[in-house]
Amino acid sequence: MADYIAHGTAGVLVPVGDSEAWRETLLELASDTTKREQLGAGARASIESKFNAQHMWEELANELRVRGIVKD
């Protein structure tokens, strides 16, 4: 998930299997409207800038160039 979620900017990551960390994170976010709004805005900005068709095709074209499949 770290490829999709920038910890503290566009979401919160917790260690796998750490139910106490999940609990603490959920309680913290439930009581902090500002932090939830900041994370939501950061997630939206990430999606709009990185996870879209334009970015996907640019990344694919770059990978094809790196592998020598296409040339500029």
Side-chain angles (χ1 to χ4, degrees), residues 4-12 38-44 46:
Y4 300 100
I5 300 171
H7 180 73
T9 304
V12 178
Q38 289 172 341
L39 290 172
R44 181 180 183 103
S46 176

Side-chain angles (χ1 to χ4, degrees), residues 13-19 21-22 25:
L13 298 171
V14 296
V16 174
D18 189 343
S19 59
W22 270 108
T25 299

Side-chain angles (χ1 to χ4, degrees), residues 22-57:
W22 270 108
R23 180 185 173 284
E24 290 173 10
T25 299
L26 291 173
L27 288 173
E28 177 187 352
L29 292 173
S31 66
D32 191 340
T33 302
T34 301
K35 188 166 187 172
R36 286 194 318 269
E37 289 173 350
Q38 289 172 341
L39 290 172
R44 181 180 183 103
S46 176
I47 294 299
E48 289 174 343
S49 68
K50 188 172 181 182
F51 298 102
N52 58 54
Q54 174 78 21
H55 186 264
M56 178 194 69
W57 288 116

